[in-house]
Amino acid sequence: MNAEYAYTRKRMHFGKRCNFSDSDKTEMEVKSNPALMSNYVRKDPVTHATQFGKIYAVHEINTTTATYKDNKMFHYEGGWPKDINMKDLEQTVRYRRKIEKDELYIHTMLQLLPSMEHCILQNNACNIYEQYFADVEANPLIQRAFSRTVNVYRDPLTTKRQIAHLSWSPDQGNRFAASYCNDDFKKSSSGNYASYIWEVENPNNPYMMLKPFCPILTLEYNPKDSNILIGGLATGQVACWDIRRGSEAVDISSVEFSHRDPCDNILWINSKTGTDFFSASKDGQIKWWDTRKMQIPTETLVMDLLKPEDQNVDKAIGISALQFEPSIGTRFMCGLENGIVISGNRKGKTPGEKIATRFKAQYGPVISLERNPTFVKNFLTVGDWTSRIWSEDCRESCIAWTPGHRDFLTGGAWSVTRYSVYYLIKTDGTLDVWDFLIQQDSPVLSVKVCDESLTCLRPHEQGQLAAVANKKGSTYLLEFSEALTVNQKNDKLLLTALLDRETRREKVIEAKNREQRLKMKTLKMHGETDFADASSKPDEREDAKESSDSLRNLLIAQCEQEYENIINTELTRQVEASNVELNNNVMQNDAIIS
């Protein structure tokens, strides 16, 4: 049995709280005691070091000890003996001969040569190209040429259309306009003929859409106003857009005063008002316009080369390329469908004076025509399978040309910043970059942009970028390396010398050809005289004519046979190459399966 007893006590009898007040305080003063200094003991601080880095071993090696002795001597004061006057050439020569004849001269030189040879060999053993810092990339002696695709701008429509023309905006090139048109007439009846303006930084959605009533074949920004554009339409008319006023054209030319064929070439003219431009078409007409009055052209020029004064449109030759250089003023150039380039002067009083200068440039239509931005006397023509560089001083032949390409060329343009570089685009989707200062027989860079045919090329004004369009409505923005965009120190002088040398060479050849033609003409005239004297012998004339005809037919047949043999050889080579590739693929598949 557990007995428990609880003791109780009131709270007031224990744990009494303390009461503090201001009056209940104690003040005291503690004075310093010098005697306490003897109880103070100073402890020296203890330093402990830690090492977290790698510990490397130290390797030392002793080299050949070199003893140096400083001997200062002025040759003017003590280099020669006192009895020799150093300014007297005869005395110095006599003293050298005396020293060389001394018996100890050879032994002294043999003792001095080993130490000097050691220093020379040591200097030769030093590699001046050695890289002492592995983390720093060395600059190559020859810069490598390369390019990369920055952005791709695709046609928003489901029905893909080819891009016929590109134009960069003048405000630092932040935008570019692309004209979309369908080259197939059967598929172009959908009714959507929109073209677009793209921003460089936004490849997903176009910046603005232009809505014409028919396809736009060409678009050009006004070089003085980035809000104004002009375009050539498939109906032959020209139109003007102001993007501040919407996507519809603000003014269109009249049909009866426009081109008969689609207007596919249009360029601005350098004028004070900034409203003048001119257009060209396959109908063989060049028309000058003013955006302030676009119903009627201000001037018209017909490319009737046989009788320029008649201005007969029915006999005009179609214009396939157009060019204007702002620094020259009234001069313009146009490429025709028969391969002739016309260098015209708008100040000519008659049509014959306006188209007086002619160049037989290509065998087919002139696809691209452009002057060099720095050397304006030289221009580039692109057509058929070759590109050629011409000089205005040589009219009969070009001064430089590229070898024939396997694929058809569809365009070309000079680099805006580097003098000697120009670009070519082809139907196989390849862009070739040529630099005539480096090599003339092959491009310095060949880029496979896409699998479709390239239709248009436009370099950026700063030279580093270029917009390339293809047949499926895609635009590729390419960036080139400094080797293709930046001029070196002597590039201008070297290119000037190259162009002058080739121009002089072609002038000499032209002079020889003219002399040869003059001789042939003289011989022909004598032959005709002899032929007239021998008119009493008709049988001999008939025999000579028949023999010349048979010889000509034989040569033509021989050329045709050689051409056919070349084609058959190439086809056989392609078939053999495809068979070899097919066999290799089959062997690889068998190896994978096994």
Side-chain angles (χ1 to χ4, degrees):
M1 178 179 174
N2 294 327
E4 293 183 0
Y5 180 76
Y7 295 90
T8 60
R9 190 179 180 183
K10 292 183 178 180
R11 178 67 180 81
M12 58 184 298
H13 294 157
F14 68 92
K16 185 178 181 181
R17 64 185 182 85
C18 299
N19 293 324
F20 298 97
S21 62
D22 293 339
S23 58
D24 297 337
K25 63 180 180 179
T26 303
E27 294 181 0
M28 61 179 299
E29 181 181 2
V30 179
K31 297 182 179 181
S32 60
N33 187 4
L36 297 177
M37 288 294 294
S38 59
N39 298 331
Y40 177 78
V41 179
R42 178 181 179 88
K43 292 184 178 181
D44 294 332
V46 178
T47 303
H48 181 71
T50 57
Q51 176 66 27
F52 294 98
K54 294 182 179 179
I55 299 176
Y56 295 93
V58 179
H59 298 274
E60 297 180 356
I61 186 171
N62 292 327
T63 58
T64 304
T65 304
T67 304
Y68 297 96
K69 182 180 179 181
D70 295 335
N71 291 325
K72 296 180 176 60
M73 180 180 64
F74 293 99
H75 188 76
Y76 178 79
E77 298 176 356
W80 297 90
K82 295 181 180 180
D83 55 345
I84 299 298
N85 185 9
M86 58 169 289
K87 295 182 180 179
D88 190 351
L89 181 61
E90 184 179 356
Q91 292 186 15
T92 54
V93 172
R94 190 183 304 115
Y95 181 76
R96 287 196 188 97
R97 290 177 180 175
K98 179 182 177 182
I99 294 297
E100 292 176 358
K101 291 180 180 179
D102 192 356
E103 296 179 356
L104 299 177
Y105 174 75
I106 298 177
H107 299 285
T108 306
M109 293 301 296
L110 292 176
Q111 293 177 0
L112 296 176
L113 283 175
S115 58
M116 182 178 66
E117 186 180 4
H118 173 73
C119 296
I120 294 175
L121 294 176
Q122 191 176 25
N123 292 334
N124 292 337
C126 179
N127 183 11
I128 63 174
Y129 299 104
E130 182 180 356
Q131 296 296 325
Y132 294 99
F133 304 98
D135 56 340
V136 178
E137 185 177 358
N139 294 326
L141 299 178
I142 299 177
Q143 294 183 354
R144 187 172 61 91
F146 64 92
S147 68
R148 67 185 185 95
T149 302
V150 180
N151 280 330
V152 181
Y153 310 84
R154 305 187 187 280
D155 189 0
L157 296 181
T158 55
T159 304
K160 300 304 178 183
R161 307 161 295 168
Q162 77 167 7
I163 299 177
H165 193 77
L166 296 170
S167 177
W168 288 96
S169 62
D171 51 350
Q172 303 297 323
N174 297 324
R175 304 188 187 102
F176 66 90
S179 58
Y180 294 79
C181 64
N182 202 329
D183 56 348
D184 190 352
F185 181 77
K186 296 179 180 179
K187 297 181 181 179
S188 62
S189 59
S190 59
N192 194 342
Y193 308 118
S195 293
Y196 303 99
I197 298 175
W198 296 87
E199 280 186 336
V200 175
E201 301 296 336
N202 185 13
N204 299 321
N205 298 311
Y207 172 75
M208 188 176 181
M209 179 171 55
L210 304 179
K211 299 178 180 178
F213 64 91
C214 65
I216 304 175
L217 299 182
T218 177
L219 271 174
E220 278 292 339
Y221 268 102
N222 190 324
K224 296 183 178 180
D225 190 354
S226 60
N227 298 313
I228 305 298
L229 293 97
I230 52 172
L233 306 181
T235 57
Q237 298 169 274
V238 293
C240 179
W241 279 269
D242 190 342
I243 62 176
R244 295 168 296 189
R245 298 171 60 179
S247 58
E248 301 288 341
V250 296
D251 202 356
I252 303 176
S253 63
S254 301
V255 177
E256 57 269 21
F257 298 108
S258 301
H259 295 279
R260 296 185 176 184
D261 287 342
C263 178
D264 53 359
N265 289 286
I266 196 165
L267 286 176
W268 288 94
I269 300 175
N270 189 17
S271 60
K272 294 181 179 180
T273 59
T275 58
D276 298 334
F277 66 95
F278 67 127
S279 61
S281 175
K282 298 295 190 298
D283 62 351
Q285 298 184 85
I286 298 178
K287 295 179 180 291
W288 281 266
W289 308 82
D290 193 332
T291 55
R292 296 172 296 184
K293 186 181 178 181
M294 287 192 57
Q295 298 300 317
I296 303 175
T298 59
E299 187 180 350
T300 301
L301 179 63
V302 179
M303 287 297 153
D304 185 3
L305 302 183
L306 297 178
K307 296 181 179 180
E309 305 300 335
D310 295 343
Q311 294 285 287
N312 190 353
V313 182
D314 296 332
K315 296 182 180 180
I317 301 175
I319 301 172
S320 56
L322 200 61
Q323 194 279 333
F324 176 77
E325 176 60 36
S327 61
I328 299 179
T330 58
R331 300 287 298 276
F332 66 93
M333 299 184 75
C334 59
L336 306 182
E337 289 188 322
N338 60 355
I340 294 178
V341 172
I342 302 295
S343 179
N345 187 3
R346 195 180 174 188
K347 286 186 177 180
K349 296 181 180 179
T350 61
E353 295 178 357
K354 293 181 180 179
I355 58 175
T357 308
R358 306 177 186 180
F359 302 86
K360 180 57 181 175
Q362 305 290 150
Y363 294 108
V366 180
I367 298 173
S368 294
L369 173 65
E370 187 173 345
R371 289 184 184 269
N372 189 293
T374 306
F375 304 90
V376 293
K377 280 190 175 182
N378 302 99
F379 58 91
L380 170 71
T381 61
V382 178
D384 45 71
W385 291 270
T386 59
S387 64
R388 294 178 171 90
I389 298 177
W390 297 78
S391 174
E392 288 187 344
D393 299 333
C394 302
R395 300 184 182 181
E396 296 183 5
S397 60
C398 58
I399 62 174
W401 61 92
T402 59
H405 295 78
R406 292 180 58 86
D407 299 285
F408 195 80
L409 299 178
T410 57
W414 287 99
S415 173
V416 183
T417 55
R418 185 167 170 84
Y419 315 125
S420 58
V421 171
Y422 65 93
Y423 311 104
L424 297 177
I425 54 176
K426 298 183 290 186
T427 54
D428 63 344
T430 305
L431 181 141
D432 291 342
V433 184
W434 290 78
D435 192 340
F436 260 53
L437 285 180
I438 298 178
Q439 55 190 22
Q440 292 81 28
D441 56 346
S442 61
V444 295
L445 178 64
S446 184
V447 183
K448 182 69 174 178
V449 181
C450 59
D451 296 330
E452 292 80 16
S453 173
L454 300 179
T455 58
C456 184
L457 165 70
R458 199 65 180 267
H460 193 269
E461 61 180 2
Q462 296 179 0
Q464 193 173 8
L465 301 175
V468 184
N470 68 357
K471 201 171 183 179
K472 295 296 183 180
S474 299
T475 304
Y476 299 86
L477 187 64
L478 303 180
E479 181 181 3
F480 299 99
S481 61
E482 291 187 0
L484 302 175
T485 57
V486 180
N487 291 302
Q488 302 299 322
K489 184 178 180 180
N490 298 324
D491 281 358
K492 191 170 185 179
L493 296 176
L494 294 175
L495 186 60
T496 303
L498 187 146
L499 295 176
D500 291 343
R501 182 177 67 250
E502 296 299 326
T503 303
R504 289 194 301 270
R505 181 179 65 85
E506 292 300 329
K507 284 183 178 179
V508 172
I509 295 175
E510 286 182 5
K512 290 183 178 180
N513 291 336
R514 284 195 294 268
E515 184 180 355
Q516 187 70 19
R517 286 196 297 268
L518 183 60
K519 290 182 180 179
M520 295 295 294
K521 186 176 180 181
T522 305
L523 294 175
K524 185 177 181 181
M525 291 175 63
H526 289 300
E528 290 177 355
T529 304
D530 297 338
F531 181 75
D533 295 338
S535 58
S536 60
K537 299 178 180 180
D539 296 336
E540 294 180 1
R541 294 199 304 271
E542 292 293 334
D543 294 341
K545 184 178 179 181
E546 290 179 359
S547 61
S548 62
D549 292 341
S550 60
L551 180 61
R552 183 171 62 253
N553 294 333
L554 180 62
L555 292 175
I556 292 174
Q558 184 178 359
C559 293
E560 289 179 351
Q561 184 64 34
E562 291 178 357
Y563 181 69
E564 186 178 356
N565 294 336
I566 292 173
I567 293 177
N568 293 332
T569 304
E570 181 64 22
L571 292 175
T572 305
R573 190 191 66 80
Q574 292 182 0
V575 171
E576 291 177 355
S578 61
N579 292 334
V580 171
E581 184 178 0
L582 181 61
N583 293 333
N584 293 334
N585 294 334
V586 171
M587 293 176 64
Q588 290 179 359
N589 294 333
D590 295 340
I592 293 173
I593 294 173
S594 61

